[in-house]
Amino acid sequence: MKIQKPPRLSRAFGRSSPGALCEPFSVTTTFAGDRCAVLAVAGDIDMATVAIFVECAETALAAGGALVVDLGEVAFCSGAGLRALRRVQWHADEAAVPVAWVVRTPPLWRLLRGTGVAGFACYRDRADALAALG
């Protein structure tokens, strides 16, 4: 399943100048065997994209098995995006589904690890995340 949103204008404070074109947002779900879903996210996670991200993540969680959320192509995550990430982690915790987060960019790494948000198991690449989930 792949959902892609066309390019839009960024209005996020400090992200870029008004009128700058942003990368398209997409979420791709693949299944690594019977026991694990991989959600690959690309683009900015902000007010315009959180609903798509959460819907795709909740669909993957409902499929059962572990979940790897690959944020390697995410350059920016707003406050609304952080709340969406926490929501997905909370739903996974409630369903007793293990989640591994793949974070490659330093700003996003600092956001997830530095905000003191408990429960995020972060890895630098997808192979490490998949190995951690078994």
Side-chain angles (χ1 to χ4, degrees):
M1 169 186 354
K2 182 169 180 150
I3 298 175
Q4 186 164 350
K5 202 169 178 190
R8 62 184 170 66
L9 297 179
S10 175
R11 291 186 178 87
F13 178 76
R15 170 67 174 105
S16 59
S17 61
L21 195 59
C22 292
E23 292 295 318
F25 179 79
S26 68
V27 179
T28 305
T29 305
T30 56
F31 293 91
D34 295 339
R35 64 191 196 307
C36 187
V38 178
L39 205 68
V41 184
D44 297 344
I45 303 176
D46 56 18
M47 285 286 284
T49 60
V50 292
I52 296 168
F53 169 72
V54 170
E55 180 182 345
C56 292
E58 288 178 350
T59 301
L61 285 171
L67 176 64
V68 173
V69 182
D70 190 342
L71 303 174
E73 299 297 318
V74 173
F76 173 76
C77 184
S78 69
L82 180 59
R83 285 188 297 278
L85 299 179
R86 291 161 103 187
R87 178 178 171 183
V88 169
Q89 183 65 55
W90 183 81
H91 281 277
D93 291 344
E94 288 292 308
V97 173
V99 178
W101 300 85
V102 179
V103 182
R104 292 188 195 104
T105 60
L108 196 55
W109 185 268
R110 283 191 302 272
L111 179 68
L112 290 181
R113 302 302 289 170
T115 57
V117 178
F120 284 98
C122 297
Y123 300 90
R124 294 283 184 185
D125 63 23
R126 192 180 293 186
D128 289 344
L130 287 168
L133 294 176

